[in-house]
Amino acid sequence: QVQLVQSGAEVKKPGASVKVSCKASGYSITSNAIQWVRQAPGQRLEWMGWINAGNGNTKYSQKFQGRVTITRDTSASTVYMELSRLRSEDTAVYYCARGILYFDFWGQGTLVTVYS
Amino acid sequence: ETVLTQSPGTLSLSPGERATLSCRASQSFTSSYLAWYQQKPGQAPRLLMYGTSIRATGIPDRFSGSGSGTDFTLTISRLEPEDFAVYYCHQYGSSLPVTFGQGTKVEIK
């Protein structure tokens, strides 16, 4: 069965970077896209960007352009999302999800807490 | 950016009742590009519907979706205990960024 398993919770200081991983199983990662969506406490879901895991092409939300980088390691069936220059407002649960249009499978989420 | 506004914010209903959730977009887009998700506390969202009215794999037929243009609806015909959760609409593909509604919480009355 399709599964996306994310790395564990992170605590970071303002200005630092965080890199969250998303390991896929149950399907060929190169056959689909992986999206990244975050959810701050009490807020709606917010799309950050996506990667075509087949050819490595990426697209980012303008809001995060310049701060977010999504990469993949096909040999490890893993996609990574790195967010730099963290600030307190980046405290959120970060999700990876499979899909080019709608998102049919989701990771369990990774809590990233930013505080000094 | 297409802003999605869901209403009501909270729906208080009893098991067996019908739930009607609304999602209104700030601009019209192709109905093929509207999805709904269910989220329970501490869990990731789960895909319910895509293409406005197509149920995802394993979703029971008490869930149905409809709408076009700027107005979309998710209906749960008879609420089961496991249906009490937060529901989000999601537009994708018409233009970036993809966006989500703010959610409707369906709670037990």
Side-chain angles (χ1 to χ4, degrees):
Chain A
Q1 71 284 19
V2 174
Q3 273 195 307
L4 299 175
V5 178
Q6 299 182 222
S7 49
E10 302 263 12
V11 178
K12 295 291 182 181
K13 292 192 182 304
S17 297
V18 68
K19 192 169 187 176
V20 181
S21 67
C22 172
K23 182 171 176 59
S25 61
Y27 78 102
S28 171
I29 191 174
T30 57
S31 66
N32 215 311
I34 292 289
Q35 312 264 352
W36 286 90
V37 176
R38 77 177 188 181
Q39 188 171 36
Q43 301 297 310
R44 69 180 69 194
L45 298 161
E46 183 175 35
W47 177 75
M48 300 179 69
W50 70 287
I51 186 166
N52 178 326
N55 61 21
N57 288 349
T58 55
K59 197 84 172 180
Y60 302 125
S61 168
Q62 266 199 317
K63 176 175 178 176
F64 300 99
Q65 195 83 38
R67 283 210 302 145
V68 68
T69 305
I70 301 173
T71 56
R72 97 281 194 219
D73 178 348
T74 56
S75 66
S77 296
T78 301
V79 172
Y80 303 90
M81 186 283 300
E82 184 169 23
L83 187 63
S84 62
R85 302 193 300 279
L86 290 168
R87 33 200 190 239
S88 58
E89 312 89 87
D90 294 318
T91 293
V93 176
Y94 290 76
Y95 294 102
C96 61
R98 188 185 81 160
I100 296 172
L101 298 176
Y102 53 88
F103 309 158
D104 59 357
F105 288 92
W106 294 64
Q108 83 277 18
T110 296
L111 175 62
V112 175
T113 304
V114 183
Y115 85 110
S116 54
Chain B
E1 173 174 325
T2 301
V3 177
L4 299 180
T5 303
Q6 293 185 241
S7 62
T10 302
L11 205 46
S12 298
L13 295 168
S14 301
E17 289 194 292
R18 181 184 188 90
T20 303
L21 287 67
S22 172
C23 176
R24 177 162 289 177
S26 60
Q27 55 189 299
S28 181
F29 60 92
T30 306
S31 61
S32 302
Y33 299 145
L34 193 282
W36 290 91
Y37 301 85
Q38 177 193 70
Q39 187 177 35
K40 296 181 179 178
Q43 296 184 17
R46 178 174 75 137
L47 177 67
L48 294 177
M49 315 284 302
Y50 61 94
T52 295
S53 60
I54 303 170
R55 278 187 297 276
T57 303
I59 301 303
D61 60 7
R62 64 180 180 273
F63 290 90
S64 63
S66 63
S68 64
T70 60
D71 290 293
F72 299 87
T73 299
L74 175 70
T75 301
I76 311 170
S77 59
R78 289 177 57 86
L79 282 165
E80 296 288 339
E82 62 268 26
D83 299 336
F84 292 91
V86 179
Y87 293 83
Y88 294 95
C89 57
H90 163 217
Q91 71 81 23
Y92 52 89
S94 62
S95 63
L96 290 178
V98 301
T99 52
F100 295 85
Q102 84 279 21
T104 289
K105 182 179 182 180
V106 178
E107 65 175 24
I108 300 176
K109 187 174 180 181

